[in-house]
Amino acid sequence: MNVEKVKNFEGAAVLRNAAENAVYFLLGLLVCRGMVFGELAPFGASYTAAVSRKKLFWALCGTAVGYIALKPHDAFRYVAVTVSVALVRWLLQDIKSLSRSALFAPAAAFVPVFASGLVMLFSSASTLTDISTVLIEALLAAAAAYFISRSLFLAETRRGIASFSQSELSCIVMTACVLMLSLGSLELEGVSPGRILAVTAIMICARYGGVVGGSIAGICAGSVFGISGAGMVYLAAGYAFGGLLGGLFSVTGKLGTAVGFVISNAVMLLTANPEGYVLPMFVETLIAATVFMFLPSELERYVTPLFLPKESTKGERALRNSVVMRLDFAANALRNVSGCVNTVSRELAHLYAPSVDRVFENASEEVCKNCGLRAYCHEHHRGELREDFSRLSAPLKAQGFVTENDVETLFTQKCCRAPELADEISRGYRDYIGGMEAAARVGQVRSMVAGQFSGLSEILGDMAAEFENYKSYDADSSARVVEYLHGEGYVPMECGCMIDAEGRMTVEIQLSNTRLPLRKSVLAQDISEICGRCFDTPVVVEIGTQKRVVLNEIPMYDIEVGVFQHVSGGGKLCGDCVKCFSGGFGRFVALISDGMGTGGRAAVDSNMTVSILTRLLKAGLSEDCALSVVNSALMIKSEDESLSTVDLAEVDLFSGKLTLYKAGAPLTLVKKGGHILKKSASSLPIGILGSVKLSCETVNLSGGDVIVMISDGALVGDEKWLEALVRKYSGGRCSDLAKEVVNEAIKRRNDGHDDDITAVAVKLIDTED
């Protein structure tokens, strides 16, 4: 059954890929028809410069066939230009600093179009007559490449159109105008479906966007169609004026919008009186008005949000900046408290530290206070008495007590109260030893308390950094999500839809922990539709009687994970604990902890480490901050020593950045593009010292790269066998790779000692594949 599902899934993926290739081919075929000034067709080169490398071949085929079959002027030149653009894109795509620039696509279109235009300028067969025409054509190609590349990028983000900014909407509108211009060259008795589509779009924007929507659509469409030919210049004014008047009459409904546009456009048409186009263009307007009248009313809820005025974000920014400032201030204050506590403790310990000399002083004070020979001993022979007590230090420290015989033997003069003095010294020394042990314990607790102040400051600092990353708050989406949750029977305590600096939305929900089951897949699908985004499966953390639900947009990469373990001696409890989970915010986390030794105690320490780390990371804390908390928990868990290693790999699924954190953990192997990278660092396990110092290293990964993590039980001798095993891995299942690593480690163990062994294999998968 599972095999059948996999085959069906693979078949659906093949069909979807074929459909996408066909769409890119047809778009290339269509965009070639877009003409400016009646003779220039640069938009095929723009389209080729804008598409991604994965779809470049089909886009190139479509544009090449379009230029050849449709035979525009200078067909050979445009085919050569398109091929040149494709080669530039292909050769420079791997240079990330260039290919990720917003100017890459415009430059890739501008240079070949301008260069070929200069060459053809001196050809008698060319329609190009002066350098200004060449420059204008190249600039139009570059501008169209920018708009198309931005539109294709926005389409790949799978966001709803209502979530786009004004600049993003402008790019989409201009791209749509270029496509409609391509249809504009198709005419039947002078009537063009492209212009009919453009007029219909203007009416829709005027009806649901008012004066602003109608004017913007009219100006954009008029500007593009106005440069399509010598007789079309009037369209720039006709469409703009029609959109304005249609928006003014939009309050009267569809009929008022349509009549307003038809009348205004007819006036401009009769004024300009383009030869041979008066009747056809009037017919186009009537057809578009008829189509517009029969459009469904449900269109309003999709179009109206595009033109709603955006609320001022000054107050939001001021509030966010105020919160960030206060969190930073509180974090610094707590950090200073931690430093003050440690400083004062050291000073007090130095001033009031107990000593053996104090034990002797207290004993002589207590025993000799009523002795008749006190003045003789303490005043006339003070120096000798001090030396006598000094000689008692050796047996006192060796035995833990002194006897009457010790006093009589080591004192130079006979003491009449030797038994009482011996007992008092022994009692005082016992108190001294107990005080020293208590002081050490108090010092340890004080150190941990100071560490907690430091940890709390780190938590506040992390919160400040997280707030700083969010650039805006979508109140409308938050309200819609709350309304949906109430309708589903949940009890939302809080809900926030935040947008970060990259334009990605994060939805955070706090629910009352009712008995109603939380269907993650359904929740992600429904909230995706509500917010106009495409969210991944939510991360859910239960804290007391509440649930925290975090939804992030689907990232660029996916993950395949394989885990395999061997338990020492075939026991039931493994000293290694492993956990792989989504940390929210597009983070994937793989975590291995190895407790001290094997068996139950090691299992307790490693499971405690992983359990606390998982909760804290899912709650949004940074790795450094979370490990500091776990370190303190291990130190106060019991009086016995508790320690465990931490091997943590975090992958940013949006960028492919891998960050490795290690505390006493062995090496990690990374297979990147066929090369093996060995990542190891010297560091101590957690639970030993009051402060944690982690080793941290980063690697930029891409689709197909593999990470292999192991516990220290897997390493016997050198690691060359492990490196060779990972190197020969050629794309099978990650679970098979992890199992092979563990089995090979067991075979190679020849020291007579069986240990817990864990291996985790993680492969990065490009979601576009």
Side-chain angles (χ1 to χ4, degrees), residues 322-624:
S322 176
V323 171
V324 170
M325 179 184 66
R326 293 180 66 179
L327 287 173
D328 276 332
F329 184 80
N332 290 329
L334 286 171
R335 200 172 293 117
N336 291 335
V337 168
S338 174
C340 289
V341 168
N342 286 325
T343 302
V344 172
S345 297
R346 285 194 297 269
E347 291 296 327
L348 290 174
H350 176 72
L351 291 173
Y352 298 103
S355 65
V356 176
D357 290 339
R358 174 68 66 177
V359 172
F360 292 136
E361 290 177 8
N362 292 338
S364 64
E365 186 71 25
E366 179 66 26
V367 174
C368 301
K369 62 182 178 181
N370 296 320
C371 180
L373 296 175
R374 174 182 173 81
Y376 175 79
C377 297
H378 286 265
E379 293 180 11
H380 298 290
H381 298 279
R382 177 180 296 274
E384 296 177 12
L385 183 62
R386 187 178 297 112
E387 291 177 1
D388 291 342
F389 279 125
S390 178
R391 285 191 291 272
L392 279 178
S393 297
L396 180 62
K397 292 178 180 179
Q399 304 169 167
F401 61 90
V402 292
T403 63
E404 177 184 355
N405 184 53
D406 293 328
V407 174
E408 292 178 348
T409 303
L410 297 175
F411 270 37
T412 56
Q413 298 189 27
K414 184 174 178 62
C415 177
C416 61
R417 295 195 174 184
E420 293 90 338
L421 183 61
D423 292 342
E424 190 64 30
I425 291 174
S426 299
R427 183 166 51 252
Y429 188 73
R430 287 195 297 271
D431 294 341
Y432 163 75
I433 294 298
M436 291 292 291
E437 292 175 352
R441 186 61 178 168
V442 169
Q444 185 182 18
V445 173
R446 186 186 297 116
S447 175
M448 284 185 286
V449 170
Q452 292 306 306
F453 278 118
S454 178
L456 186 56
S457 73
E458 291 179 9
I459 293 174
L460 294 177
D462 288 346
M463 293 173 64
E466 186 177 329
F467 273 112
E468 182 68 25
N469 187 48
Y470 290 131
K471 298 303 179 184
S472 61
Y473 178 84
D474 192 336
D476 293 336
S477 296
S478 299
R480 292 196 296 270
V481 171
V482 169
E483 183 180 358
Y484 159 76
L485 292 171
H486 279 300
E488 293 294 314
Y490 298 109
V491 183
M493 310 296 291
E494 296 289 343
C495 176
C497 298
M498 283 76 68
I499 300 174
D500 62 18
E502 303 297 327
R504 299 190 291 258
M505 178 181 284
T506 298
V507 179
E508 296 188 14
I509 305 168
Q510 188 173 334
L511 297 174
S512 176
N513 196 358
T514 62
R515 295 183 179 181
L516 190 66
L518 196 65
R519 296 174 295 172
K520 295 183 180 180
S521 59
V522 176
L523 189 68
Q525 182 178 353
D526 292 345
I527 294 182
S528 296
E529 294 178 1
I530 291 170
C531 297
R533 308 268 179 153
C534 195
F535 290 110
D536 204 351
T537 303
V539 177
V540 180
V541 182
E542 293 189 21
I543 302 176
T545 60
Q546 296 180 349
K547 290 181 181 178
R548 181 176 183 265
V549 183
V550 179
L551 294 97
N552 298 102
E553 293 189 40
I554 292 180
M556 176 185 250
Y557 297 104
D558 199 357
I559 287 290
E560 181 189 347
V561 183
V563 178
F564 197 78
Q565 284 187 306
H566 164 73
V567 182
S568 173
K572 296 182 179 179
L573 296 176
C574 182
D576 298 342
C577 185
V578 61
K579 184 84 171 180
C580 300
F581 58 93
S582 171
F585 308 101
R587 301 179 303 164
F588 169 81
V589 178
L591 173 61
I592 299 177
S593 179
D594 184 2
M596 182 176 65
T598 60
R601 178 167 176 173
V604 169
D605 289 343
S606 62
N607 276 272
M608 178 178 172
T609 299
V610 170
S611 176
I612 298 176
L613 271 177
T614 301
R615 284 181 172 273
L616 295 178
L617 293 175
K618 284 186 175 182
L621 270 67
S622 67
E623 284 74 10
D624 287 328

Side-chain angles (χ1 to χ4, degrees), residues 157-447:
T157 62
R158 292 174 282 190
R159 290 162 50 192
I161 194 170
S163 66
F164 294 151
S165 65
Q166 292 296 331
S167 61
E168 292 171 338
L169 286 173
S170 299
C171 292
I172 294 173
V173 169
M174 293 304 296
T175 301
C177 289
V178 170
L179 294 176
M180 288 188 287
L181 178 63
S182 302
L183 292 173
S185 61
L186 298 173
E187 293 184 355
L188 179 63
E189 299 296 331
V191 177
S192 166
R195 291 193 291 270
I196 293 173
L197 186 60
V199 172
T200 305
I202 295 171
M203 290 183 183
I204 292 172
C205 292
R207 170 65 185 90
Y208 302 116
V211 174
V212 175
S215 299
I216 292 175
I219 291 170
C220 291
S223 300
V224 173
F225 279 91
I227 62 174
S228 62
M232 302 295 173
V233 178
Y234 104 94
L235 289 177
Y239 284 178
F241 185 47
L244 173 64
L245 211 60
L248 287 172
F249 286 99
S250 62
V251 293
T252 62
K254 280 187 176 182
L255 182 60
T257 301
V259 171
F261 185 92
V262 170
I263 292 176
S264 60
N265 193 62
V267 170
M268 297 300 296
L269 181 62
L270 293 173
T271 303
N273 194 24
E275 184 179 354
Y277 279 101
V278 175
L279 182 60
M281 289 191 176
F282 186 71
V283 171
E284 289 172 358
T285 305
L286 292 178
I287 295 174
T290 303
V291 172
F292 170 69
M293 292 299 296
F294 283 98
L295 289 175
S297 58
E298 287 81 4
L299 194 64
E300 178 179 1
R301 68 190 184 101
Y302 296 104
V303 180
T304 301
L306 303 180
F307 301 101
L308 289 176
K310 303 295 183 182
E311 296 181 5
S312 174
T313 58
K314 291 183 179 179
E316 294 176 8
R317 273 195 226 100
L319 179 60
R320 180 177 64 87
N321 292 338
S322 176
V323 171
V324 170
M325 179 184 66
R326 293 180 66 179
L327 287 173
D328 276 332
F329 184 80
N332 290 329
L334 286 171
R335 200 172 293 117
N336 291 335
V337 168
S338 174
C340 289
V341 168
N342 286 325
T343 302
V344 172
S345 297
R346 285 194 297 269
E347 291 296 327
L348 290 174
H350 176 72
L351 291 173
Y352 298 103
S355 65
V356 176
D357 290 339
R358 174 68 66 177
V359 172
F360 292 136
E361 290 177 8
N362 292 338
S364 64
E365 186 71 25
E366 179 66 26
V367 174
C368 301
K369 62 182 178 181
N370 296 320
C371 180
L373 296 175
R374 174 182 173 81
Y376 175 79
C377 297
H378 286 265
E379 293 180 11
H380 298 290
H381 298 279
R382 177 180 296 274
E384 296 177 12
L385 183 62
R386 187 178 297 112
E387 291 177 1
D388 291 342
F389 279 125
S390 178
R391 285 191 291 272
L392 279 178
S393 297
L396 180 62
K397 292 178 180 179
Q399 304 169 167
F401 61 90
V402 292
T403 63
E404 177 184 355
N405 184 53
D406 293 328
V407 174
E408 292 178 348
T409 303
L410 297 175
F411 270 37
T412 56
Q413 298 189 27
K414 184 174 178 62
C415 177
C416 61
R417 295 195 174 184
E420 293 90 338
L421 183 61
D423 292 342
E424 190 64 30
I425 291 174
S426 299
R427 183 166 51 252
Y429 188 73
R430 287 195 297 271
D431 294 341
Y432 163 75
I433 294 298
M436 291 292 291
E437 292 175 352
R441 186 61 178 168
V442 169
Q444 185 182 18
V445 173
R446 186 186 297 116
S447 175

Side-chain angles (χ1 to χ4, degrees), residues 441-452 605 608 612 628-643 686-690:
R441 186 61 178 168
V442 169
Q444 185 182 18
V445 173
R446 186 186 297 116
S447 175
M448 284 185 286
V449 170
Q452 292 306 306
D605 289 343
M608 178 178 172
I612 298 176
S628 177
V629 174
V630 176
N631 182 66
S632 298
L634 284 175
M635 292 187 69
I636 64 176
K637 178 176 73 72
S638 67
E639 294 184 358
D640 297 329
E641 185 180 46
S642 295
L643 58 89
I686 60 175
I688 298 177
L689 301 177

